[in-house]
Amino acid sequence: NAGVTQTPKFQVLKTGQSMTLQCAQDMNHEYMSWYRQDPGMGLRLIHYSVGAGITDQGEVPNGYNVSRSTTEDFPLRLLSAAPSQTSVYFCASSYSTPGEQYFGPGTRLTVT
Amino acid sequence: AQKVTQAQTEISVVEKEDVTLDCVYETRDTTYYLFWYKQPPSGELVFLIRRNSFDEQNEISGRYSWNFQKSTSSFNFTITASQVVDSAVYFCALSEVPSGAGSYQLTFGKGTKLSVIP
């Protein structure tokens, strides 16, 4: 099992550009989520999904969209990148909630 | 609203010393779950433990132990005989039972950076 994979590992965007962070898991987990990690802030939940076709907002959803068309994939879209979105993004999945969450390796995003 | 406070931003200890990482939480629920995660310098997040609010028994796993006290809303983590490999950022997290159609959400503390000096 590859576990939770994220691509890309690093990305630099200009303000206003859009992009999609990819997340996939091969553990057949129903629950998936996206977090951002900023220095001194811990991890904050952006969006989450409890199954294919079902998504909901977390603590900091503004500027991000998600969709869940399959159990395996949970992409995070930045609509119009802003410097405030410079962060490390983690995708996670779990078999159930509130179960152990398996985290991907992270994507380091810089918006200039 | 749920909240997790890790008051210790950074801690340095000399190898083989014991160290305790504090975690204080706030919740209005009687049913909730507490977690600890480790983030080593390589950046990945590693699950360490999950406890539910009805199980106040302390847990020991090798050099790691956890002290859950509902009376003080604390879930502290102790590393005995620390090693350099324990150097990492440690996060405490809380998940409440969702209301209605909501789902469990993890609220993380800001983390404690532990440096173990050889």
Side-chain angles (χ1 to χ4, degrees):
Chain A
N1 282 357
V4 180
T5 58
Q6 291 183 238
T7 55
K9 284 188 169 26
F10 301 94
Q11 183 70 49
V12 178
L13 290 178
K14 293 188 186 315
T15 297
Q17 287 184 318
S18 62
M19 79 158 295
T20 299
L21 307 185
Q22 301 292 343
C23 174
Q25 52 91 10
D26 61 359
M27 297 174 282
N28 203 30
H29 287 171
E30 290 295 328
Y31 185 89
M32 296 185 73
S33 52
W34 276 101
Y35 295 86
R36 59 177 290 172
Q37 182 178 21
D38 303 296
M41 295 294 294
L43 281 85
R44 292 181 292 170
L45 182 65
I46 304 171
H47 285 286
Y48 65 94
S49 168
V50 298
I54 307 170
T55 64
D56 205 348
Q57 297 180 350
E59 180 186 353
V60 289
N62 291 343
Y64 308 95
N65 270 359
V66 292
S67 60
R68 183 99 178 267
S69 55
T70 67
T71 300
E72 294 77 21
D73 300 299
F74 190 44
L76 178 72
R77 280 182 286 277
L78 279 70
L79 310 172
S80 177
S84 60
Q85 293 178 304
T86 293
S87 188
V88 180
Y89 291 85
F90 287 97
C91 178
S93 74
S94 64
Y95 177 73
S96 64
T97 62
E100 171 189 350
Q101 292 206 38
Y102 293 81
F103 283 82
T107 294
R108 185 174 294 273
L109 175 69
T110 302
V111 183
T112 61
Chain B
Q2 54 193 48
K3 183 179 177 182
V4 177
T5 301
Q6 295 180 256
Q8 305 149 308
T9 306
E10 293 192 40
I11 301 176
S12 289
V13 298
V14 176
E15 200 171 21
K16 297 184 184 175
E17 286 184 345
D18 298 348
V19 59
T20 295
L21 309 183
D22 298 332
C23 174
V24 174
Y25 60 92
E26 294 178 28
T27 177
R28 284 174 284 191
D29 284 0
T30 55
T31 302
Y32 51 88
Y33 296 82
L34 294 162
F35 300 78
W36 276 94
Y37 282 85
K38 174 182 179 180
Q39 187 176 40
S42 53
E44 75 273 22
L45 282 141
V46 179
F47 168 83
L48 295 178
I49 190 172
R50 182 188 80 162
R51 303 295 291 199
N52 72 56
S53 53
F54 296 108
D55 183 0
E56 287 194 72
Q57 195 169 3
N58 291 334
E59 177 133 352
I60 298 175
S61 177
R63 296 183 297 106
Y64 294 173
S65 63
W66 291 269
N67 183 358
F68 177 27
Q69 292 198 346
K70 288 178 76 170
S71 60
T72 57
S73 297
S74 65
F75 186 43
N76 296 337
F77 173 32
T78 297
I79 302 174
T80 302
S82 59
Q83 300 176 1
V84 173
V85 293
D86 295 327
S87 296
V89 180
Y90 291 87
F91 292 98
C92 181
L94 165 69
S95 186
E96 294 175 329
V97 176
S99 58
S103 181
Y104 290 89
Q105 298 185 27
L106 267 185
T107 296
F108 282 83
K110 295 184 179 181
T112 297
K113 182 178 180 180
L114 174 65
S115 298
V116 180
I117 304 163

